[in-house]
Each structure stands twice: as structure tokens, then as C-alpha cells.
Amino acid sequence: MVPSLARQAVIIKSGNNTSVLTGNYELAYALGLLVNQTGVLFPGDYSDLQDLQKKVLKEVEDKKIEDEKLEHLLRMVKLYNPAEGFDGQMGELINMGLGEKYPWDIHRA
């Protein structure tokens, strides 16, 4: 349940330029989706969300992003300051983002 809610929240927020990420679960999905949509290599393991955020941002910093939703997703990831800690659902959310086939459709997974 939590993974699907976090997924839906990120997809909806990516389409609204005033939205921000509000939790580590949203960040986890957003990081996987950002890697998925930019085509960069996944930069690390799943044990530290703060470290993973830094590595993903470094990987995508030179990418030209033309999609408005993806551009806003990147902005939200840059602005979010994750809390410490990591659990299995965050790993699941990263994997969901990495494997996402319908990135902007909340009704299809």
C-alpha cells in the first residue's frame, strides 16, 4: 500500500510545478524514476538514501532534460533533504521507479 501511494504522489507532484517531495518514500521512488527516465547507470547500493541522492544527482547533472515533468522531478529531488534511515519499502520503491513503464500514468504500473 505505501509503495503505490508514494508512486502516485510523485507522479501527481511531477505535473505540478509548486509541489515538493514530503518524505523518504517519495524520494526513493523519485530516485529510481529519475535514473529510469534519464538513462544513467544506477550509481550505488540501497543502504543510504542520502548518499544515493547525491550520487544520482551527480549522474544526471550534465543530462539535457526537455520533459517538463522530468525537469520538475529533478528539482524536487534536489530540494528534498532526506531523513536518516532506510527500510525495505524504500528499496522496493527504488526498484519500482527503475522498472517504471508508464512514468506519468497513476493508473498503470
Side-chain angles (χ1 to χ4, degrees), residues 5-20:
L5 292 175
R7 176 187 178 270
Q8 288 178 358
V10 170
I11 291 170
I12 291 168
K13 289 176 179 187
S14 294
N16 183 345
N17 287 337
T18 60
S19 296
V20 295

Side-chain angles (χ1 to χ4, degrees), residues 10-102:
V10 170
I11 291 170
I12 291 168
K13 289 176 179 187
S14 294
N16 183 345
N17 287 337
T18 60
S19 296
V20 295
L21 298 178
T22 57
N24 281 7
Y25 292 124
E26 290 179 8
L27 177 64
Y29 176 76
L31 288 171
L33 184 59
L34 192 56
V35 168
N36 172 313
Q37 293 298 296
T38 57
V40 299
L41 294 176
F42 188 75
D45 64 14
Y46 290 38
S47 61
D48 184 341
L49 205 55
Q50 294 168 328
D51 185 52
L52 184 58
Q53 179 188 31
K54 289 175 190 170
K55 288 177 179 178
V56 168
L57 289 174
K58 183 167 176 52
E59 288 291 321
V60 301
E61 71 184 354
D62 294 330
K63 284 284 191 181
K64 182 172 173 75
I65 297 177
E66 296 178 4
D67 181 274
E68 287 181 31
K69 290 180 180 181
L70 188 56
E71 186 178 323
H72 184 58
L73 178 68
L74 177 58
R75 260 193 315 272
M76 291 190 299
V77 168
K78 285 180 179 177
L79 291 173
Y80 184 72
N81 185 18
E84 289 188 28
F86 192 87
D87 64 34
Q89 285 187 322
M90 289 178 201
E92 183 180 342
L93 282 157
I94 291 167
N95 285 331
M96 284 174 68
L98 289 170
E100 185 65 65
K101 293 180 180 150
Y102 308 102

